[in-house]
Amino acid sequence: MRTPALGCLCLLLSPLCAQGGDGKVKPANSNPPPATRAPAVQYDSKGWPILPEDPTPAAGATPGGETSQSGRSGASGPTNVAAPAAAPASAGGGRSAPGSGLQLDSPLLEVFQATQTPAAFKQLGSVSIWWRMTVYGEQGEVIGRREVTHTADSAFAERDRLEYADGRVYGRIGASVFAERSGMPFPNLVDSAEAELMLFGMHWRLPWCFGDANAYVVLARDEVVREEKVLTRIVIERRPPVEFDRIGPELDEAPRDHFELVHEPGKGTPVEFLHRFARNRQPRRVLLEDWREHRGVAVPFRRVYVDEALRQTTSLEILRIEPVRTTERDFRLR
């Protein structure tokens, strides 16, 4: 009794043997097929079988299906099909994921080429940022100033901790937010804690957070005029949370966080940023200045809030940035 495995093995080993009708292996020239009947399998000059869907074997083919660097890959298919163009490589060495902002047709491509990729930003890991916030009056005079220590995990979208000189400590990990003062929980400060954590977290992750297509969507890319200069504007909104219990579209669409990035055409470094959070619906215009490189990533060390007359109202300055080691407990209520 013959086995299928033996038949396949004889077929692939060499063109010099064939299987007779009685199941025994015979030399190929002992029982030649009729001249009018084409053989079931054809072989190339090296003795390897030519598959029907691959009539032109690549040069340098090896028995394992691999090819040399000048040949094609081992996957079967027509050789005249052009390979797809490779996506731009991220800082981590891999190809860009869909919606990461690194595709050739992405409106955010120029921005990430100037400031580095979201993957490079995530590699910064946990850092401590010392912010100095200054509030100005109508005549440009300084009304008040305070400093905030911000601990952030750059690899996550919502892992932040804020420490103030008056003993307040705010923290968030995902949707969980806490507020304490002098080591005691303060539940009545949770609302203000959530707003400030969102603000400082957004400023630190700007503009790399917008590369997450699951959280943000680019609505438009157009032009705006600033001081007689034509600039490129990218309009972005936060995606609504997924509601598994809802069927069909939203009847009354809830307001969403709205953002705008403005940069010079061909340069990509953002010079202006606008944010309008859904909770208060008040647009805030920010000028991004003093870009410096921190561990290979370009960061704006000065952000100036201006009013409609371009008068500065508030400024956020980064005094220094240092890497730190954190765990999940640093962003939870202890």
Side-chain angles (χ1 to χ4, degrees), residues 129-162:
I129 310 107
W130 280 264
W131 297 94
R132 181 168 62 194
M133 183 169 62
T134 306
V135 181
Y136 301 93
E138 294 184 357
Q139 305 300 323
E141 72 278 12
V142 176
I143 296 179
R145 179 177 287 139
R146 69 175 180 180
E147 296 183 4
V148 181
T149 302
H150 178 195
T151 303
D153 191 339
S154 307
F156 294 87
E158 296 177 333
R159 284 194 182 184
D160 299 278
R161 178 184 177 92
L162 300 176

Side-chain angles (χ1 to χ4, degrees), residues 4 13 17 40 59 62 67 72 125 157 181 216 252 301:
L13 280 178
C17 66
T62 61
T67 61
R72 63 172 178 84
R181 189 165 192 170
Y216 300 94
D252 297 322
F301 272 61

Side-chain angles (χ1 to χ4, degrees), residues 155-270:
F156 294 87
E158 296 177 333
R159 284 194 182 184
D160 299 278
R161 178 184 177 92
L162 300 176
E163 300 178 35
Y164 298 87
D166 58 3
R168 287 178 298 147
V169 177
Y170 299 156
R172 68 171 180 173
I173 178 168
S176 177
V177 178
F178 80 87
E180 66 178 21
R181 189 165 192 170
S182 301
M184 298 293 294
F186 258 66
N188 59 334
L189 293 177
V190 169
D191 288 341
S192 60
E194 183 177 2
E196 295 192 31
L197 286 164
M198 180 186 299
L199 180 66
F200 281 95
M202 176 203 65
H203 269 292
W204 170 242
R205 294 170 177 85
L206 172 74
W208 304 279
C209 58
F210 300 130
D212 183 2
N214 295 320
Y216 300 94
V217 57
V218 176
L219 298 181
R221 186 173 184 265
D222 54 17
E223 295 180 344
V224 293
V225 178
R226 296 285 188 267
E227 298 178 355
E228 299 182 354
K229 293 178 62 176
V230 179
L231 304 178
T232 300
R233 178 177 63 178
I234 305 172
V235 183
I236 306 167
E237 275 193 359
R238 188 187 297 272
R239 291 186 184 273
V242 178
E243 298 178 359
F244 295 100
D245 57 344
R246 180 171 59 84
I247 301 176
E250 272 185 297
L251 296 180
D252 297 322
E253 186 174 335
R256 305 175 187 175
D257 295 340
H258 179 91
F259 310 95
E260 295 179 9
L261 277 175
V262 179
H263 67 87
E264 292 187 34
K267 292 189 175 180
T269 302

Side-chain angles (χ1 to χ4, degrees), residues 80-91:
N80 58 351
V81 178
S90 65

